[in-house]
Amino acid sequence: MTGNDTIIKAFTELAPRYEETMDRELGEFLGLGYQEFVDRLVEASSIEKGDVVLDVATGTALIPLTLVDRVGARGRVIGLDITPAMLKHGRKRIGATRSSSCISLVCASGMAMPFVKGVFDMVICGFGTHHMDVPQMLSEMKRVLKTGGDLVVAAAGVPAFWRSFLWIVLLKFLLIGYGLTKKGARVQAEVEAIPNFRTVDEWHTILSDSGFAKIEISKSQSRRPWYPYALTMRAVSGGDSRAGR
């Protein structure tokens, strides 16, 4: 299977219990629930009434549903995800609310977005970056953002010692053992994503190299010294941010 095939299979299997799984995993690593994580991510943004916002790797559309009140009746939120089964569950959630006129869901890759240049006021992404080629994804995000548009990304960061030779060897042994005892596409997808985890400095460099400015990165406290931690990153696509105007 290709990388995309593995991800689609993994998240197709996960879709019926996605929120429950995110609650458990975020609780284990960060000590907070999925809705609380989404609320914090949204609070970190500078969304205004009437904004057009893109949520990359939207999953079951919890972020778009949380954004609806912020963009208001004149705004719009587009949720993009590569897995049809995730979007199917998202549409059910949206249909159970009065938000359907403000939210659209699109099935596509975050590395090849079907949107024209400069259409979004903000692009947001919550924990989807490690399943993508990050330079390609950031290039697409910058392309679809307006000049001065805002980028808000939450991603798993790793301590600097993850780059040491001894840790890489140990991690490979741990992953081999985990893969032997925990079969399934989700395990394969997460194992393949390990090289995409980055340190704070690496994220700052790649955002800058991708043409983003005014980069701010905050780091959560992980529950174990060797665990990944959550990074919340804010940046501007060229020019001044809207918040500074």
Side-chain angles (χ1 to χ4, degrees):
M1 288 190 294
T2 67
N4 280 349
D5 290 338
T6 300
I7 292 166
I8 292 170
K9 182 178 179 181
F11 285 92
T12 296
E13 295 171 355
L14 185 62
R17 59 186 188 283
Y18 179 71
E19 290 86 0
E20 176 186 346
T21 301
M22 290 295 289
D23 262 331
R24 183 178 68 252
E25 293 179 356
L26 289 175
E28 167 66 23
F29 287 99
L30 304 178
L32 76 165
Y34 185 35
Q35 182 67 63
E36 184 181 358
F37 155 74
V38 169
D39 290 341
R40 290 186 182 185
L41 183 62
V42 170
E43 285 298 322
S45 67
S46 56
I47 295 171
E48 301 172 359
K49 296 290 185 182
D51 276 353
V52 180
V53 181
L54 173 65
D55 176 35
V56 177
T58 195
T60 54
L62 182 56
I63 289 177
L65 285 165
T66 305
L67 291 173
V68 164
D69 288 340
R70 286 179 171 259
V71 301
R74 294 184 295 107
R76 190 154 191 83
V77 185
I78 313 297
L80 179 144
D81 202 283
I82 199 171
T83 305
M86 295 287 275
L87 295 176
K88 181 179 178 180
H89 283 266
R91 290 189 180 97
K92 288 181 180 179
R93 296 189 60 159
I94 294 167
T97 72
R98 298 180 179 179
S99 306
S100 57
S101 62
C102 298
I103 301 175
S104 299
L105 299 182
V106 176
C107 189
S109 169
M111 298 179 291
M113 302 184 195
F115 308 116
V116 299
K117 181 179 179 180
V119 69
F120 293 103
D121 298 292
M122 173 174 289
V123 172
I124 191 166
C125 180
F127 280 130
T129 63
H130 58 292
H131 291 300
M132 290 182 263
D133 179 295
V134 172
Q136 187 175 346
M137 177 199 72
L138 289 175
S139 175
E140 279 290 271
M141 288 176 166
K142 187 173 186 298
R143 181 183 67 81
V144 302
L145 272 168
K146 297 176 181 177
T147 300
D150 297 317
L151 177 70
V152 179
V153 174
V158 293
F161 69 76
W162 275 49
R163 295 293 178 256
S164 70
F165 175 77
L166 290 176
W167 178 256
I168 290 171
V169 172
L170 176 61
L171 186 59
K172 285 183 178 179
F173 277 109
L174 291 173
L175 292 176
I176 290 170
Y178 187 73
L180 290 173
T181 58
K182 301 282 188 179
K183 300 293 185 180
R186 173 77 194 288
V187 172
Q188 183 181 349
E190 297 301 331
V191 168
E192 290 176 357
I194 290 295
N196 291 332
F197 292 167
R198 288 171 165 80
T199 66
V200 171
D201 288 343
E202 288 168 343
W203 265 112
H204 198 285
T205 297
I206 201 168
L207 284 164
S208 180
D209 290 346
S210 298
F212 288 93
K214 301 192 176 186
I215 300 164
E216 299 177 4
I217 302 177
S218 60
K219 183 177 79 170
S220 74
Q221 183 69 40
S222 63
R223 299 189 71 189
R224 302 284 188 278
W226 55 89
Y227 274 9
Y229 43 72
L231 299 177
T232 302
M233 296 170 277
R234 293 169 290 274
V236 176
S237 177
D240 295 326
S241 69
R242 295 170 303 138
R245 294 181 181 177

